[in-house]
Coordinates of all heavy atoms in Angstrom, one line a residue:
N330 N -18.5 -1.0 -7.9 CA -19.4 0.0 -7.1 C -18.8 0.2 -5.7 O -19.6 0.1 -4.7 CB -20.8 -0.6 -7.0 CG -21.5 -0.6 -8.3 OD1 -21.2 0.3 -9.2 ND2 -22.4 -1.5 -8.5
E331 N -17.5 0.5 -5.7 CA -16.8 0.5 -4.4 C -17.5 1.4 -3.4 O -17.8 1.0 -2.3 CB -15.4 1.1 -4.7 CG -14.5 0.3 -5.5 CD -13.2 1.0 -5.6 OE1 -13.1 2.2 -5.6 OE2 -12.2 0.3 -5.7
T332 N -17.7 2.7 -3.8 CA -18.2 3.6 -2.7 C -19.6 3.3 -2.3 O -19.9 3.2 -1.1 CB -18.1 5.1 -3.3 OG1 -16.9 5.3 -3.9 CG2 -18.3 6.1 -2.2
A333 N -20.5 2.9 -3.2 CA -21.8 2.6 -2.9 C -21.9 1.4 -2.0 O -22.6 1.4 -0.9 CB -22.7 2.4 -4.1
N334 N -21.1 0.4 -2.3 CA -21.1 -0.9 -1.5 C -20.5 -0.6 -0.1 O -21.0 -1.1 0.9 CB -20.3 -2.0 -2.1 CG -21.0 -2.6 -3.3 OD1 -22.2 -2.5 -3.4 ND2 -20.3 -3.2 -4.2
A335 N -19.5 0.2 -0.1 CA -18.8 0.6 1.2 C -19.8 1.3 2.1 O -19.9 1.1 3.3 CB -17.6 1.4 1.0
M336 N -20.5 2.3 1.5 CA -21.5 3.1 2.3 C -22.6 2.2 2.9 O -23.1 2.4 4.0 CB -22.2 4.1 1.4 CG -21.3 5.2 0.8 SD -21.0 6.4 2.0 CE -22.5 7.2 2.2
E337 N -23.0 1.2 2.1 CA -24.0 0.3 2.5 C -23.5 -0.5 3.7 O -24.3 -0.7 4.7 CB -24.4 -0.7 1.3 CG -25.5 -1.7 1.6 CD -26.8 -1.1 2.1 OE1 -27.0 0.1 1.9 OE2 -27.6 -1.9 2.6
K338 N -22.3 -0.9 3.7 CA -21.7 -1.7 4.8 C -21.6 -0.8 6.1 O -21.8 -1.2 7.2 CB -20.3 -2.2 4.4 CG -20.3 -3.6 4.0 CD -19.1 -4.1 3.4 CE -19.4 -5.1 2.3 NZ -18.3 -5.5 1.5
I339 N -21.2 0.5 5.9 CA -21.1 1.4 7.0 C -22.4 1.5 7.7 O -22.5 1.4 8.9 CB -20.7 2.8 6.5 CG1 -19.2 2.8 6.0 CG2 -20.9 3.9 7.6 CD1 -18.7 4.1 5.5
R340 N -23.5 1.6 6.9 CA -24.8 1.7 7.4 C -25.2 0.4 8.2 O -25.7 0.5 9.3 CB -25.8 2.0 6.3 CG -27.1 2.6 6.7 CD -28.1 2.7 5.5 NE -28.3 1.4 4.9 CZ -29.0 0.4 5.3 NH1 -29.6 0.5 6.5 NH2 -29.1 -0.7 4.6
K341 N -25.0 -0.7 7.5 CA -25.5 -2.0 8.1 C -24.7 -2.3 9.4 O -25.3 -2.9 10.3 CB -25.3 -3.1 7.0 CG -26.5 -3.3 6.2 CD -26.6 -4.6 5.4 CE -25.5 -5.5 5.2 NZ -25.4 -6.1 3.8
K342 N -23.5 -2.0 9.4 CA -22.6 -2.4 10.5 C -22.3 -1.3 11.5 O -21.6 -1.5 12.5 CB -21.4 -3.1 10.0 CG -21.6 -4.2 9.0 CD -20.4 -5.1 8.7 CE -20.7 -6.0 7.6 NZ -19.8 -7.2 7.6
N343 N -22.8 -0.1 11.2 CA -22.7 1.0 12.2 C -21.2 1.4 12.4 O -20.7 1.7 13.5 CB -23.4 0.7 13.5 CG -23.6 1.9 14.3 OD1 -23.5 3.0 13.8 ND2 -24.0 1.7 15.6
F344 N -20.4 1.3 11.2 CA -19.0 1.7 11.3 C -18.9 3.2 11.4 O -19.7 4.0 10.8 CB -18.3 1.2 10.0 CG -18.0 -0.2 10.0 CD1 -18.1 -0.9 8.7 CD2 -17.6 -1.0 11.1 CE1 -17.9 -2.3 8.6 CE2 -17.3 -2.3 11.0 CZ -17.5 -3.0 9.7
D345 N -17.8 3.7 12.0 CA -17.5 5.1 12.0 C -16.7 5.5 10.7 O -16.8 6.6 10.2 CB -16.6 5.5 13.2 CG -17.5 5.4 14.4 OD1 -18.1 6.5 14.7 OD2 -17.6 4.4 15.0
F346 N -16.0 4.6 10.2 CA -15.5 4.7 8.8 C -15.0 3.3 8.3 O -14.8 2.4 9.2 CB -14.4 5.8 8.6 CG -13.0 5.5 9.2 CD1 -12.0 5.0 8.4 CD2 -12.7 5.8 10.5 CE1 -10.7 4.7 8.9 CE2 -11.5 5.6 11.0 CZ -10.5 5.0 10.2
I347 N -14.8 3.2 7.0 CA -14.5 1.9 6.5 C -13.2 2.1 5.7 O -12.9 3.1 5.1 CB -15.6 1.3 5.6 CG1 -15.7 -0.2 5.7 CG2 -15.5 1.8 4.2 CD1 -17.0 -0.8 5.3
V348 N -12.3 1.1 5.8 CA -11.0 1.1 5.1 C -11.2 0.2 3.9 O -11.5 -1.0 4.0 CB -9.8 0.6 5.9 CG1 -8.5 0.6 5.1 CG2 -9.7 1.3 7.3
L349 N -11.2 0.9 2.7 CA -11.6 0.2 1.5 C -10.3 -0.3 0.8 O -9.4 0.5 0.4 CB -12.4 1.1 0.6 CG -12.8 0.6 -0.8 CD1 -13.9 -0.4 -0.6 CD2 -13.4 1.8 -1.6
N350 N -10.2 -1.6 0.5 CA -9.1 -2.1 -0.3 C -9.8 -2.4 -1.7 O -10.8 -3.0 -1.8 CB -8.7 -3.5 0.1 CG -8.1 -3.6 1.5 OD1 -7.0 -3.1 1.6 ND2 -8.8 -4.1 2.4
S351 N -9.1 -1.9 -2.7 CA -9.6 -2.2 -4.0 C -8.8 -3.3 -4.7 O -7.6 -3.2 -4.7 CB -9.6 -0.9 -4.9 OG -9.8 -1.3 -6.2
L352 N -9.5 -4.3 -5.2 CA -8.7 -5.4 -5.8 C -8.2 -5.0 -7.2 O -7.4 -5.6 -7.8 CB -9.7 -6.6 -6.0 CG -9.6 -7.7 -5.0 CD1 -10.3 -8.9 -5.4 CD2 -8.2 -8.0 -4.6
R353 N -8.6 -3.8 -7.6 CA -8.1 -3.3 -8.9 C -6.7 -2.8 -8.8 O -6.0 -2.6 -9.8 CB -9.0 -2.1 -9.4 CG -10.2 -2.6 -10.1 CD -10.9 -1.4 -10.8 NE -12.1 -1.1 -10.1 CZ -12.6 0.1 -9.9 NH1 -11.9 1.1 -10.3 NH2 -13.7 0.4 -9.3
D354 N -6.2 -2.5 -7.6 CA -4.9 -1.9 -7.4 C -3.9 -3.0 -7.3 O -4.0 -3.9 -6.4 CB -4.8 -1.0 -6.1 CG -5.8 0.1 -6.3 OD1 -5.6 0.9 -7.3 OD2 -6.6 0.3 -5.4
K355 N -2.8 -2.9 -8.1 CA -1.7 -3.9 -8.0 C -1.0 -3.6 -6.7 O -0.8 -2.5 -6.4 CB -0.8 -3.7 -9.2 CG -0.5 -5.0 -10.0 CD 0.3 -4.7 -11.2 CE 1.5 -5.7 -11.1 NZ 2.7 -5.1 -11.6
G356 N -0.6 -4.6 -6.0 CA 0.2 -4.4 -4.8 C -0.7 -4.2 -3.6 O -0.2 -3.9 -2.5
A357 N -2.0 -4.3 -3.7 CA -2.9 -4.1 -2.6 C -3.6 -5.5 -2.3 O -3.9 -6.2 -3.2 CB -3.9 -3.1 -2.9
G358 N -3.8 -5.7 -1.0 CA -4.6 -6.8 -0.6 C -3.9 -7.9 0.2 O -3.1 -7.7 1.0
F359 N -4.4 -9.1 -0.1 CA -4.1 -10.3 0.7 C -2.6 -10.8 0.6 O -2.1 -10.9 -0.5 CB -4.9 -11.5 0.2 CG -6.3 -11.6 0.9 CD1 -6.7 -10.5 1.7 CD2 -7.1 -12.7 0.8 CE1 -7.9 -10.6 2.4 CE2 -8.3 -12.8 1.4 CZ -8.7 -11.7 2.2
G360 N -2.0 -11.1 1.7 CA -0.8 -11.8 1.7 C 0.5 -11.0 1.5 O 1.6 -11.4 1.8
I361 N 0.3 -9.8 0.9 CA 1.5 -9.0 0.5 C 1.8 -7.9 1.5 O 1.0 -7.7 2.4 CB 1.3 -8.4 -0.9 CG1 0.0 -7.8 -1.1 CG2 1.6 -9.5 -2.0 CD1 -0.2 -7.2 -2.4
D362 N 2.9 -7.3 1.3 CA 3.4 -6.4 2.3 C 2.9 -4.9 2.2 O 3.1 -4.1 3.0 CB 4.9 -6.4 2.4 CG 5.4 -7.8 2.9 OD1 4.8 -8.3 3.8 OD2 6.4 -8.3 2.3
T363 N 2.3 -4.7 1.0 CA 1.8 -3.3 0.8 C 0.3 -3.3 0.6 O -0.3 -4.3 0.4 CB 2.5 -2.7 -0.5 OG1 2.3 -3.7 -1.6 CG2 3.9 -2.4 -0.4
N364 N -0.2 -2.1 0.7 CA -1.7 -2.0 0.6 C -2.0 -0.6 0.1 O -1.2 0.4 0.4 CB -2.4 -2.2 1.9 CG -3.8 -2.7 1.8 OD1 -4.2 -2.9 0.6 ND2 -4.4 -3.0 2.9
K365 N -3.1 -0.5 -0.7 CA -3.5 0.9 -1.1 C -5.0 1.0 -0.7 O -5.8 0.2 -1.1 CB -3.4 0.9 -2.7 CG -3.7 2.3 -3.2 CD -3.4 2.3 -4.7 CE -3.6 3.7 -5.3 NZ -4.9 4.3 -5.0
V366 N -5.2 1.9 0.1 CA -6.6 2.0 0.7 C -7.2 3.4 0.5 O -6.5 4.4 0.2 CB -6.6 1.7 2.2 CG1 -5.9 0.3 2.5 CG2 -5.8 2.8 3.0
S367 N -8.5 3.4 0.7 CA -9.2 4.7 0.8 C -10.1 4.6 2.1 O -10.5 3.5 2.4 CB -10.2 4.9 -0.4 OG -9.5 4.8 -1.6
F368 N -10.3 5.7 2.7 CA -11.3 5.7 3.8 C -12.6 6.3 3.3 O -12.6 7.3 2.6 CB -10.8 6.6 5.0 CG -9.5 6.2 5.6 CD1 -8.8 7.1 6.4 CD2 -8.9 5.0 5.4 CE1 -7.6 6.8 7.0 CE2 -7.7 4.6 6.0 CZ -7.0 5.6 6.8
I369 N -13.7 5.6 3.7 CA -15.0 6.1 3.3 C -15.7 6.4 4.6 O -15.7 5.5 5.5 CB -15.8 5.1 2.5 CG1 -14.9 4.5 1.4 CG2 -17.1 5.6 2.0 CD1 -15.0 5.2 0.1
F370 N -16.4 7.6 4.7 CA -17.0 8.0 5.9 C -18.6 7.9 5.7 O -19.1 7.9 4.6 CB -16.6 9.4 6.3 CG -15.1 9.5 6.6 CD1 -14.2 9.7 5.6 CD2 -14.7 9.3 7.9 CE1 -12.8 9.7 5.8 CE2 -13.3 9.3 8.1 CZ -12.4 9.5 7.1
P371 N -19.3 7.9 6.8 CA -20.8 7.8 6.7 C -21.4 8.8 5.8 O -22.5 8.6 5.2 CB -21.3 7.9 8.2 CG -20.1 7.5 9.0 CD -18.9 7.9 8.2
D372 N -20.8 10.1 5.8 CA -21.5 11.1 5.0 C -21.0 11.0 3.5 O -21.3 11.9 2.7 CB -21.1 12.5 5.5 CG -19.6 12.8 5.6 OD1 -18.9 11.9 5.1 OD2 -19.2 13.9 6.0
G373 N -20.3 10.0 3.1 CA -19.8 9.8 1.7 C -18.5 10.4 1.4 O -17.9 10.2 0.4
E374 N -17.9 11.1 2.4 CA -16.6 11.7 2.2 C -15.6 10.5 2.0 O -15.7 9.5 2.5 CB -16.2 12.5 3.4 CG -14.9 13.4 3.2 CD -14.3 13.7 4.5 OE1 -14.9 13.8 5.6 OE2 -13.0 13.9 4.5
R375 N -14.6 10.8 1.1 CA -13.6 9.8 0.8 C -12.2 10.3 0.9 O -11.9 11.5 0.4 CB -13.9 9.3 -0.6 CG -13.0 8.2 -1.2 CD -13.3 7.9 -2.6 NE -12.3 7.0 -3.1 CZ -12.5 5.8 -3.6 NH1 -13.8 5.4 -3.7 NH2 -11.6 5.1 -4.0
K376 N -11.3 9.6 1.5 CA -9.8 10.0 1.5 C -9.0 8.9 0.8 O -9.1 7.7 1.2 CB -9.3 10.1 2.9 CG -9.7 11.3 3.7 CD -8.9 11.4 5.0 CE -9.5 12.5 5.9 NZ -8.9 12.4 7.2
D377 N -8.3 9.2 -0.2 CA -7.5 8.2 -0.9 C -6.0 8.3 -0.5 O -5.5 9.4 -0.3 CB -7.6 8.4 -2.4 CG -9.0 8.2 -3.0 OD1 -9.6 7.2 -2.6 OD2 -9.5 9.0 -3.8
F378 N -5.4 7.1 -0.4 CA -4.0 7.1 0.0 C -3.2 6.4 -1.1 O -3.7 5.6 -1.9 CB -3.8 6.3 1.3 CG -4.5 7.1 2.5 CD1 -5.8 6.9 2.7 CD2 -3.7 7.9 3.3 CE1 -6.4 7.6 3.8 CE2 -4.3 8.6 4.3 CZ -5.7 8.4 4.6
A379 N -1.8 6.6 -1.1 CA -1.0 6.0 -2.1 C -0.7 4.6 -1.7 O -0.9 4.2 -0.5 CB 0.3 6.8 -2.1
L380 N -0.1 3.8 -2.6 CA 0.4 2.4 -2.2 C 1.5 2.5 -1.2 O 2.5 3.2 -1.4 CB 0.9 1.7 -3.5 CG 1.3 0.3 -3.4 CD1 0.2 -0.6 -3.1 CD2 2.1 -0.1 -4.6
K381 N 1.3 1.8 -0.1 CA 2.3 2.0 1.0 C 2.6 0.6 1.7 O 1.7 -0.2 1.6 CB 1.8 2.9 2.1 CG 1.6 4.3 1.7 CD 0.9 5.1 2.8 CE 0.7 6.5 2.4 NZ 0.5 7.4 3.5
P382 N 3.7 0.5 2.4 CA 3.9 -0.7 3.2 C 2.8 -0.7 4.3 O 2.4 0.3 4.8 CB 5.2 -0.5 3.8 CG 5.9 0.5 3.0 CD 4.8 1.4 2.4
K383 N 2.4 -1.9 4.7 CA 1.3 -2.0 5.7 C 1.5 -1.3 7.0 O 0.5 -0.7 7.5 CB 0.9 -3.5 5.9 CG 0.1 -4.1 4.7 CD -0.3 -5.5 4.8 CE -1.1 -5.8 3.5 NZ -1.4 -7.3 3.4
P384 N 2.7 -1.2 7.5 CA 2.9 -0.5 8.8 C 2.5 1.0 8.6 O 2.0 1.7 9.5 CB 4.4 -0.6 9.1 CG 4.7 -1.9 8.5 CD 3.9 -2.0 7.2
E385 N 2.8 1.5 7.4 CA 2.5 3.0 7.1 C 1.0 3.1 6.9 O 0.4 4.2 7.3 CB 3.3 3.5 5.9 CG 4.7 3.7 6.3 CD 5.6 4.1 5.1 OE1 5.1 4.8 4.2 OE2 6.8 3.8 5.1
V386 N 0.3 2.1 6.3 CA -1.1 2.2 6.2 C -1.8 2.2 7.6 O -2.7 2.9 7.9 CB -1.7 1.0 5.4 CG1 -3.2 1.0 5.3 CG2 -1.1 1.0 4.0
A387 N -1.2 1.4 8.5 CA -1.6 1.3 9.9 C -1.5 2.6 10.5 O -2.4 3.1 11.3 CB -0.8 0.2 10.6
R388 N -0.4 3.4 10.2 CA -0.2 4.7 10.8 C -1.3 5.6 10.4 O -1.9 6.4 11.2 CB 1.1 5.2 10.4 CG 2.0 5.7 11.5 CD 3.4 6.0 11.1 NE 4.2 4.8 10.9 CZ 5.3 4.7 10.2 NH1 5.7 5.8 9.5 NH2 5.9 3.6 10.1
D389 N -1.7 5.6 9.1 CA -2.7 6.5 8.6 C -4.1 6.1 9.2 O -4.8 7.0 9.6 CB -2.9 6.3 7.0 CG -1.7 6.8 6.2 OD1 -1.0 7.7 6.8 OD2 -1.5 6.3 5.1
I390 N -4.3 4.8 9.4 CA -5.6 4.5 10.1 C -5.6 5.0 11.5 O -6.6 5.5 12.0 CB -5.8 2.9 10.0 CG1 -5.9 2.5 8.6 CG2 -7.0 2.5 10.9 CD1 -5.9 0.9 8.4
V391 N -4.5 4.8 12.2 CA -4.5 5.2 13.6 C -4.6 6.7 13.7 O -5.2 7.3 14.6 CB -3.3 4.6 14.4 CG1 -3.2 5.1 15.8 CG2 -3.4 3.1 14.4
D392 N -3.9 7.4 12.8 CA -4.0 8.9 12.8 C -5.5 9.3 12.7 O -6.0 10.2 13.4 CB -3.3 9.5 11.6 CG -1.8 9.6 11.8 OD1 -1.3 9.3 13.0 OD2 -1.1 9.9 10.8
Q393 N -6.2 8.6 11.8 CA -7.6 8.9 11.7 C -8.4 8.6 12.9 O -9.3 9.4 13.3 CB -8.2 8.1 10.5 CG -9.6 8.5 10.1 CD -9.8 9.9 9.7 OE1 -9.0 10.4 8.9 NE2 -10.9 10.5 10.1
V394 N -8.1 7.5 13.6 CA -8.8 7.1 14.8 C -8.6 8.2 15.9 O -9.5 8.7 16.5 CB -8.2 5.8 15.3 CG1 -8.6 5.5 16.8 CG2 -8.7 4.6 14.4
V395 N -7.3 8.7 16.0 CA -7.0 9.7 17.0 C -7.8 11.0 16.7 O -8.4 11.6 17.6 CB -5.5 10.0 17.0 CG1 -5.1 11.2 17.9 CG2 -4.7 8.8 17.5
L396 N -7.8 11.4 15.4 CA -8.6 12.6 15.0 C -10.1 12.5 15.5 O -10.6 13.4 16.0 CB -8.5 12.7 13.5 CG -8.6 14.0 12.9 CD1 -7.3 14.8 13.2 CD2 -8.7 13.9 11.4
M397 N -10.6 11.3 15.2 CA -12.1 11.1 15.5 C -12.3 11.0 17.0 O -13.4 11.4 17.5 CB -12.6 9.9 14.7 CG -12.6 10.2 13.3 SD -13.0 8.8 12.2 CE -14.8 8.9 12.2
L398 N -11.4 10.4 17.7 CA -11.5 10.3 19.2 C -11.6 11.7 19.8 O -12.4 12.0 20.7 CB -10.4 9.5 19.8 CG -10.5 8.0 19.8 CD1 -9.2 7.4 20.4 CD2 -11.7 7.5 20.6
K399 N -10.7 12.6 19.3 CA -10.7 14.0 19.8 C -12.0 14.7 19.5 O -12.5 15.4 20.4 CB -9.5 14.7 19.0 CG -8.2 14.5 19.7 CD -7.1 15.5 19.1 CE -5.8 15.0 19.5 NZ -4.8 15.2 18.4
K400 N -12.6 14.4 18.3 CA -13.9 15.0 18.0 C -15.0 14.5 18.9 O -15.9 15.2 19.2 CB -14.2 14.7 16.5 CG -13.5 15.6 15.6 CD -14.2 15.6 14.2 CE -13.3 16.2 13.1 NZ -13.5 15.5 11.9
K401 N -14.9 13.2 19.3 CA -16.0 12.6 20.1 C -16.0 13.2 21.5 O -17.0 13.1 22.2 CB -15.8 11.1 20.1 CG -16.2 10.4 18.9 CD -16.8 9.1 19.1 CE -17.5 8.5 17.8 NZ -18.5 7.6 18.1

Side-chain angles (χ1 to χ4, degrees):
N330 291 330
E331 293 181 333
T332 313
N334 286 339
M336 294 282 292
E337 179 60 16
K338 261 171 215 169
I339 290 179
R340 197 189 55 73
K341 269 194 347 217
K342 307 196 187 199
N343 198 11
F344 286 142
D345 289 272
F346 72 96
I347 213 161
V348 182
L349 178 71
N350 295 288
S351 166
L352 264 192
R353 277 192 249 141
D354 297 306
K355 233 177 128 218
F359 272 10
I361 46 181
D362 295 320
T363 49
N364 208 357
K365 185 172 183 311
V366 303
S367 304
F368 298 167
I369 312 271
F370 297 89
D372 61 1
E374 192 201 333
R375 179 184 173 122
K376 281 191 191 170
D377 293 316
F378 294 85
L380 182 72
K381 295 175 178 196
K383 286 182 176 170
E385 287 178 30
V386 177
R388 229 171 285 158
D389 292 335
I390 295 170
V391 176
D392 281 350
Q393 184 64 41
V394 165
V395 170
L396 209 70
M397 293 175 85
L398 278 176
K399 276 190 193 142
K400 278 196 197 148
K401 285 215 171 205

